[in-house]
Amino acid sequence: MTREITLSRAVNEAIAEEMRRDPSIILLGEDVAEAGTPFKVLSGLVEEFGTDRIIDTPISEPGFMGIAVGAAMTGLRPIVDLMFGDFLYLVMDQLCNQAAKTHYMSGGKLNVPLVLRTNMGATRRSAAQHSQSLQALVAHIPGLKVAMPSSAYEAKGLMKTAIRDNNPVVIFEDKLMYNDKAPVPEEEYLIPFGQAHIKREGRDVTLVATSSMVQVAEAAADTLSREGISAEIIDPRTIVPLDEETILRSVRKTSRAIVIDEGHQSYGVTAEIAARISEKAFYHLDAPVIRMGAMDVPVPFSPALEDITVPNAAGVADNARKICRGELIHAA
Amino acid sequence: MSAAKKKKHNTEEYLRMYTQMVRIRAFEDNANQLYLSAKMPGLTHMYSGQEAVAVGICEALTPEDKITSTHRGHGHCVAKGAHFKEMFCELLGKEEGYCRGKGGSMHIADQANGNLGANAIVGGSMGIATGSALTAKRLGTGHVTVCFFGDGATAQGLWYEVMNMAALWKLPVIYACENNGYSEYTRTEEIAAGSLTARAEAFGIESFKVDGQDVLAVNKLAGELAARCRKGEGPFFLELDTYRYHGHHVGDINRDYYRAKDEETEWKSARDPITNFGKWLIDQKIMTADELVAIDNEIAADAEAAVKYALDAKYPDVREVDMHVYADTAA
Ligand SMILES: Cc1ncc(C[n+]2csc(CCOP(=O)(O)OP(=O)(O)O)c2C)c(N)n1
Ligand SMILES: [Mg+2]
């Protein structure tokens, strides 16, 4: 049986199901209990699991992140709720110097099975410190896995896999998608890491898109199909590990690729994926691989400015048209 | 100073304090309306109820003294001397805003009046304020820096690091904690162990608790501490008891699950900083009730005009989007 639920509900169900299954799971963060987070994603969990397992913390991000690392090393499986992805900067030492490296540094003897769930996404008029998409920052660090759900279905399946993984996993939810509904099975399912999803098949151009950029790619593909251009959409679902094979197979078929992600374009997720395509499918390419990320500026508050900083469907369609017609788009 | 002259001098100060508090309230009422009528992009955090803190402190400072502010920053901004027009323009993302629309409510800054900026990271300004005090000491400017933050921010480790250095280096900084009883949807008792003043005292920092609804008490203490900072006797810590009238942000409307209506009514009716100071001014025969009403009305009209101006003002040109990422460096 499948029903439509919101992304927010999907995350809530995944956590609740796993907490019922495994008593070693705890969840900690700011206003996660009675308030159920500012986005209300965790509503109802404290009523079922109590304040011993759904733990409200003070506004001490490095502190509770560190506590989660220690708890994970010694037998608990913590889920850390980081209210905004922008607060990653506060927890970087505990996440990157401690959690990410412990298994390796201990010669494989210590594990850090924890999930850091946080968010990303601009255009909420929340300005520069509440709008960033910082997945590239953590994807850069060996030892961390990074999941980017593109709908309620992925959000649930990836969350359950993350909780069962024996490594630190960072999950970025797009905060503009919390109320978006998608079909989600009633039965239990997990989505394995490192398995991309071919969201739509096509012949002429591959659109590799993460998280909410999948919606952008779909809208672009709709436009393109009316013009006779057939776009294939690949959603990597996890950027670490990355399902390179599915991406390369698609590009070998279409000979063209555009990579879309909401993080800043420079030194970003799009750059990494584009580089792999260029290295490994070079002789199949008919055009340069195009990166489309957010502009390299802090996210501005003014709606007049904010909206033009992130990739949109018209821009994707435009680039696709150009590479399909063989126009050199990097001349400018 | 002769008694008559002193009285006149004080009257001006009192009037300014009253006016500034009413201006903050008027600003916030209009900002709230802009949100409710869907004319303001995003969310904002109302300062209403806490006016005596910002005004009591900022009236004890010179325009060259610095402040750092928070996500709940409109009050600090007004109190430090900002104008309605540029503030409303900023809240609406317009070109004439203090930050050309790039910052918005949570990043409003007014360099000309010594406001180094609001901050959307809780506790994010604690280092900045302490650094500003280091500048003052190093350059011998005699300026004081006031670091405003909430009770919730005392959970940030940064505060303990910078207090240590400020105390070691005797920096002219006043850490002003506005304890409004809540951080977001959580009561302060649930997130703060022990005593806040004792924490600062552990670093050898002289600490005070004051009624943050009493503008005269706040102003008197802030004046003394600012003077002592200028003599090299800083840093100091101030815990100000206060209350926010609205939700955590303008969208936090159904809040019975974490805060009782009765409690809100009690603070608003018995401890309102503006009403109580107004009564005192009348009792002391410094102002008449009619004179106060005239002030209130004038400010309300000013605020309304500024809102109208800001609504009609233009957005920044899209070409500004990648301006100001880097500052120019002279060759
Ligand atoms: C580092 C960081 N963590 C969490 C938040 C989310 N947040 C914004 S305001 C707030 C509560 C702050 O409480 P307090 O310091 O008491 O200030 P008040 O809102 O009461 O003025 C929280 C948790 C944030 N902005 N920054
Ligand atoms: Mg507070």
Side-chain angles (χ1 to χ4, degrees), chain A residues 30 59 61 87, chain B residues 71-72 120 122 150-153 180 182-183 248:
Chain A
E30 293 151 22
I59 314 172
E61 289 83 1
F87 308 159
Chain B
H71 58 285
R72 200 174 302 290
V122 168
D151 47 286
N180 60 11
Y182 294 85
S183 62
H248 170 60

Side-chain angles (χ1 to χ4, degrees), chain B residues 190-253:
Chain B
E190 294 170 36
I191 52 100
S195 130
L196 297 180
T197 46
R199 296 185 191 181
E201 281 160 1
F203 292 98
I205 294 177
E206 240 182 279
S207 301
F208 304 83
K209 255 177 107 94
V210 61
D211 178 358
Q213 304 309 87
D214 180 347
V215 72
L216 290 178
V218 174
N219 183 251
K220 181 164 177 292
L221 182 57
E224 288 162 11
L225 298 184
R228 287 181 60 194
C229 270
R230 294 186 217 284
K231 286 193 285 180
E233 293 173 26
F236 297 103
F237 172 58
L238 261 179
E239 181 182 348
L240 303 112
D241 268 324
T242 185
Y243 201 75
R244 67 162 153 80
Y245 283 2
H246 294 260
H248 170 60
H249 54 63
V250 282
D252 173 24
I253 290 164

Side-chain angles (χ1 to χ4, degrees), chain A residues 30-31 59 61 83-84 87 90 130, chain B residues 45 50 70-72 106 119-123 149-154 156 178 180-184 188 191 244 248:
Chain A
E30 293 151 22
D31 276 320
I59 314 172
E61 289 83 1
M83 194 184 292
F84 282 87
F87 308 159
L90 285 102
H130 279 67
Chain B
H45 308 79
Q50 305 185 193
T70 69
H71 58 285
R72 200 174 302 290
M106 284 203 292
N119 208 306
I121 300 299
V122 168
F149 54 90
D151 47 286
T154 63
Q156 286 286 327
E178 302 185 58
N180 60 11
Y182 294 85
S183 62
E184 276 191 357
T188 310
I191 52 100
R244 67 162 153 80
H248 170 60

